[in-house]
Amino acid sequence: MKLRFFPQETAGLDTLARMADQLLAGTHTLAELLGASRADFPALAEIMRQHEGASTADFATLLTTMRTSFINPLPREDLYALGRLLNETSEILTGAAELIELYGLDRVSQRAGDQLEILSRQVELTVAAMKALNDLDSLEDYWLEVLRLAKRADHTHRVLIAELLENHSPTSFAKYRMLADQFAAASKQMRSVATQVGSIIVKES
């Protein structure tokens, strides 16, 4: 790992950690949504929008920090890429919540719950990683584990789509598939975050 001889601003890393924490809170809210009654959907979807709003505000803070800091702990392009991916994931999670609310999806299968469980684990690992970006040597296992989970998520998504096609009418299938696709997209975003971290590890070694 490269030796650094000048003090660095850590505000950017702190902001990334807060953004990751918002994602974790979002997965918890989605878990509540999957078990909630339709009457509770609007309030929980609004909580998701609040998580997204906080993430977007943090992303704006990150951009300001990168412009004003003399020495950043990581290259600006890497900080930006991580922030963008985390914020986009927050948007995807909010999209999943709004689909549940708008379509009244109160018969979500256990397989979709499995999707969310895998995604939640990816997010938990990402939270820990964002809080350890000042010690890149400790993150190689994170990188590999998130990629492994992404493969599980891909398989679960394929099986779920097949089950939905078999068990739902075309209209119902389309609604539940959109939700499954949102979960899959969020998982891919977490894989992209891990890949970005892997790229940083290689460059900074």
Side-chain angles (χ1 to χ4, degrees):
M1 191 169 177
K2 293 180 180 178
L3 293 176
R4 304 186 189 278
F5 300 100
F6 300 99
Q8 302 163 35
E9 296 284 348
T10 62
L13 300 186
D14 295 340
T15 303
L16 290 174
R18 286 199 306 273
M19 294 177 73
D21 280 332
Q22 289 295 337
L23 290 183
L24 187 58
T27 61
H28 292 165
T29 302
L30 278 170
E32 287 187 62
L33 263 167
L34 293 190
S37 65
R38 289 192 182 192
D40 294 327
F41 286 177
L44 290 169
E46 179 57 31
I47 291 173
M48 285 298 304
R49 286 186 282 270
Q50 292 172 9
H51 293 321
E52 181 188 342
S55 175
T56 300
D58 281 334
F59 188 40
T61 298
L62 178 65
L63 297 180
T64 299
T65 299
M66 289 190 299
R67 290 197 307 270
T68 57
S69 296
F70 178 63
I71 300 177
N72 286 291
L74 294 173
R76 285 180 171 84
E77 61 270 23
D78 290 319
L79 290 171
Y80 173 79
L82 289 171
R84 176 182 60 79
L85 289 166
L86 293 172
N87 192 50
E88 288 176 353
T89 307
S90 183
E91 294 171 357
I92 292 168
L93 296 185
T94 299
E98 290 184 341
L99 285 172
I100 294 171
E101 176 193 16
L102 292 170
Y103 292 127
L105 302 182
D106 56 0
R107 293 187 296 116
V108 176
S109 72
Q110 179 56 50
R111 192 79 64 180
D114 293 342
Q115 272 192 303
L116 181 57
E117 182 179 349
I118 296 168
L119 172 60
S120 296
R121 181 56 183 154
Q122 288 179 299
V123 172
E124 289 171 358
L125 291 169
T126 300
V127 168
M130 293 302 101
K131 295 178 180 179
L133 284 173
N134 57 353
D135 183 19
L136 293 173
D137 291 338
S138 68
L139 293 180
E140 187 171 345
D141 288 344
Y142 149 75
W143 175 20
L144 297 174
E145 178 63 10
V146 171
L147 296 181
R148 185 189 70 80
L149 287 168
K151 292 180 181 180
R152 273 187 61 198
D154 286 344
H155 172 74
T156 301
H157 181 248
R158 288 191 292 270
V159 174
L160 174 57
I161 296 306
E163 291 176 350
L164 291 175
L165 189 59
E166 181 176 351
N167 297 323
H168 289 266
S169 68
T171 300
S172 180
F173 167 78
K175 294 176 182 178
Y176 282 97
R177 168 150 196 178
M178 281 191 280
L179 178 61
D181 288 348
Q182 290 292 110
F183 287 157
S187 178
K188 285 181 171 59
Q189 286 287 106
M190 290 295 92
R191 180 174 62 190
S192 294
V193 171
T195 300
Q196 187 70 34
V197 171
S199 173
I200 296 169
I201 292 171
V202 171
K203 288 188 296 184
E204 296 289 304
S205 62

